[in-house]
Amino acid sequence: MTTTGSTKAASTAAPAPAPAPAATARELGLAHYAARGVLEYVLARHGATFAQQIALRAAINADAPQTPDELVAQVQGALKADPAGIRAVFDELLAKELLVADGEHLRPTEAGRELFAAVAAETAPISARVWGGIPAEDLAAAGRVLALVTERADAELAALTA
């Protein structure tokens, strides 16, 4: 009987990777908080909070000038937080001169835009390392799952608070 290289190749081949565990609420939450932890670390170096960043983003990304009530509604949709707490965040941004009242609207100041841009610039390479190399089909599947979880959780929250 002759010996072939296939026997040796089979014995030195790396074992097949273990299948990935199914996503659970815990894993989804841990991923969220891991990514948020990175953002909060960067924000803290700039003297800002996560809620302030979300509120500032709403003002910066608005297509048209927004009233405080409109901005509170947008941020509440994102953070699922109490409107009074969100109003306090907008008051903080006004006090820091990151937002300014312009009649009945709030608009970002140059300092607010600069802070937002600085945080985005610092987190972009980190995000690229975190998200880089994930196959497009995996990202698409994750996107579908997360959209469904968000939809269902929003419906449950609406029912609880009705």
Side-chain angles (χ1 to χ4, degrees):
M1 184 166 176
T2 60
T3 309
T4 65
S6 63
T7 304
K8 183 176 181 181
S11 65
T12 59
T24 65
R26 182 177 187 276
E27 278 77 29
L28 294 173
L30 290 173
H32 163 76
Y33 283 114
R36 182 172 166 173
V38 170
L39 176 58
E40 286 189 9
Y41 181 84
V42 172
L43 287 166
R45 291 198 321 231
H46 291 276
T49 67
F50 180 75
Q52 289 171 347
Q53 187 261 352
I54 298 297
L56 187 57
R57 179 178 63 198
I60 288 172
N61 289 340
D63 292 334
Q66 301 285 301
T67 66
D69 288 344
E70 291 167 330
L71 289 168
V72 166
Q74 287 179 41
V75 173
Q76 185 178 21
L79 295 180
K80 312 302 186 241
D82 178 54
I86 297 168
R87 287 184 191 287
V89 170
F90 281 107
D91 290 343
E92 293 165 3
L93 293 172
L94 287 162
K96 289 182 169 194
E97 298 182 351
L98 299 172
L99 289 178
V100 65
D102 184 9
E104 65 181 35
H105 299 104
L106 295 179
R107 65 176 177 78
T109 63
E110 189 59 34
R113 290 182 186 284
E114 288 173 5
L115 170 65
F116 193 80
V119 170
E122 280 187 55
T123 57
I126 298 167
S127 292
R129 289 190 298 273
V130 169
W131 290 93
I134 299 174
E137 60 272 10
D138 290 349
L139 292 174
R144 289 188 301 274
V145 169
L146 293 174
L148 181 59
V149 168
T150 300
E151 178 184 320
R152 290 176 177 178
D154 283 347
E156 291 293 331
L157 183 60
L160 289 170
T161 58

